[in-house]
Amino acid sequence: MPEDDSRLFEESLNRGVPEKFDLEENASEPEQGSSNVELGSDSDGSESDIECLRRLSQAWQRIRHELNQVIVGQNEVLEELFVAMLSSGHALLVGVPGLAKTLMVRSLAQTLDLTFGRIQFTPDLMPADITGTEVLQEDRQTGQRLFQFRPGPVFVNVLLADEINRTPPKTQAALLEAMQERQVTAGGQRHVLPNPFFVLATQNPIEQEGTYPLPEAQLDRFLLQIRVDYPDAEEEFEILRQTNRAEPRQVSQVISASEWSEFQGLVRRIPVADYVLEYAMRLCRATRPQDASAPEQIRKYVQWGAGPRAGQALVMAAKARAAIHGQPVVGLEDLRALAPAVLRHRLLLRYTAEADSKSADDIVIELLDQIFSEKEPQPAVGGLWNVFKR
């Protein structure tokens, strides 16, 4: 645990807070001046949140071990994928062909006991090919003809949208409803998608001929944009060695559906101190050139910055990252680790950025160095509840 968070815990514990705490979202706020709040202990003797946090961290270690049986390297990519799903969000994987993006998504779904589906996006793909359509059916007994909905491939827990930018905007918009509302509309009727539901899309950053770039509104629906880079020399050699084996390795299930739902609920209950929220807010506001806090490089290179949804995504993803590392609270290192993946697709750059060979990642990293080098805001330590009530 970082020094700041350790100090925060010690100061809170010195105020007489019991050893166990209650992270439930619906917990009622105690009377003013009282810090006697329980976190993670249930009166009926059920498992505490601390123990659930330990099980989640151990489960992630087992999942990473299983994925490493078929995926060489790419540990940061795998972690960000897991964080996005644990945060109930969607992820966009950007990388050249042949970097095992599809294999990563399929293998991760297998370890989580979730149904998996893949759609290869093409220019002639229609919305009904994704969401499903109504077909006319005749009842053999009554002879009555009725329209019956036939679900499309989107009705799965984990949907791999392969090369999502190769389909027209009309089809992209149909997927947008599924991503945001977790439902599809056909024949005027709404059909709820399975729970949980994740869209893990891939995109080739090189070949752009005949593609339809995703609009900013749809890019903003992705919690993270994950960059998949080339492996280093040792990893590439190991890839060549493993792919020449007689029998390919298989991954095993690690988490059941009930456990997955329990872990997602735990992540939502992870507390976030006010000073961490302030860092997230300052970082997102600093990406907007119209804001007074925006530094000079933002005004020069960025046309439009990240909106409030970026701050929500950053905090939620940081909670998931803290949880899988066994940390009971969110630290500043969690924000810093995930800020590039949260912000890189939410910045609309000016032509001056391209002229100076500045990418969104370069701008975000420079901004992180500047924000985190400033004087840290003082956390409001008015009792543990006031610090962790969010």
Side-chain angles (χ1 to χ4, degrees), residues 136-206:
L136 190 62
Q137 297 281 355
E138 181 178 353
D139 191 325
R140 295 183 178 180
Q141 295 181 352
T142 63
Q144 186 179 9
R145 294 183 177 182
L146 298 173
F147 281 101
Q148 184 178 4
F149 179 72
R150 291 291 181 88
V154 74
F155 283 83
V156 291
N157 295 127
V158 181
L159 178 66
L160 173 60
D162 224 347
E163 298 201 71
I164 190 175
N165 59 332
R166 291 201 171 275
T167 197
K170 184 177 182 180
T171 306
Q172 293 176 357
L175 185 61
L176 177 60
E177 180 192 5
M179 292 171 58
Q180 182 64 22
E181 307 297 336
R182 261 70 173 184
Q183 67 178 26
V184 298
T185 304
Q189 298 293 323
R190 293 182 299 175
H191 304 275
V192 180
L193 294 171
N195 185 32
F197 174 72
F198 311 102
V199 173
L200 304 178
T202 68
Q203 189 169 291
N204 180 1
I206 298 178

Side-chain angles (χ1 to χ4, degrees), residues 36-239:
N36 190 21
V37 181
E38 292 189 358
L39 176 144
S41 61
D42 299 322
S43 58
D44 59 357
S46 58
E47 181 188 47
S48 69
D49 284 327
I50 298 300
E51 179 60 31
C52 185
L53 184 70
R54 186 178 298 110
R55 289 197 298 111
L56 172 57
S57 179
Q58 293 173 351
W60 164 240
Q61 298 301 324
R62 297 198 305 272
I63 289 174
R64 189 169 60 178
H65 174 74
E66 289 293 329
L67 294 177
N68 287 337
Q69 302 299 312
V70 294
I71 305 294
V72 178
Q74 306 292 1
N75 290 324
E76 184 177 348
V77 174
L78 295 174
E79 179 176 300
E80 291 179 349
L81 263 178
F82 190 71
V83 163
M85 297 177 65
L86 200 58
S87 306
S88 303
H90 312 290
L92 178 63
L93 287 82
V94 179
V96 300
L99 297 182
K101 298 186 295 295
T102 301
L103 182 60
M104 290 182 200
V105 176
R106 183 189 297 112
S107 301
L108 183 56
Q110 291 174 352
T111 64
L112 302 179
D113 189 29
L114 300 177
T115 59
F116 172 80
R118 175 184 177 183
I119 301 176
Q120 182 66 47
F121 281 84
T122 57
D124 60 346
L125 200 67
M126 298 299 292
D129 298 329
I130 297 176
T131 61
T133 186
E134 289 193 333
V135 296
L136 190 62
Q137 297 281 355
E138 181 178 353
D139 191 325
R140 295 183 178 180
Q141 295 181 352
T142 63
Q144 186 179 9
R145 294 183 177 182
L146 298 173
F147 281 101
Q148 184 178 4
F149 179 72
R150 291 291 181 88
V154 74
F155 283 83
V156 291
N157 295 127
V158 181
L159 178 66
L160 173 60
D162 224 347
E163 298 201 71
I164 190 175
N165 59 332
R166 291 201 171 275
T167 197
K170 184 177 182 180
T171 306
Q172 293 176 357
L175 185 61
L176 177 60
E177 180 192 5
M179 292 171 58
Q180 182 64 22
E181 307 297 336
R182 261 70 173 184
Q183 67 178 26
V184 298
T185 304
Q189 298 293 323
R190 293 182 299 175
H191 304 275
V192 180
L193 294 171
N195 185 32
F197 174 72
F198 311 102
V199 173
L200 304 178
T202 68
Q203 189 169 291
N204 180 1
I206 298 178
E207 188 179 2
Q208 297 299 319
E209 293 184 5
T211 61
Y212 303 85
L214 295 176
E216 282 71 20
Q218 186 160 358
L219 283 173
D220 198 35
R221 306 295 179 180
F222 287 99
L223 185 82
L224 304 179
Q225 177 176 311
I226 304 172
R227 288 184 54 189
V228 186
D229 292 325
Y230 289 109
D232 58 32
E234 294 182 1
E235 292 173 345
E236 191 162 359
F237 178 81
E238 182 64 21
I239 291 173

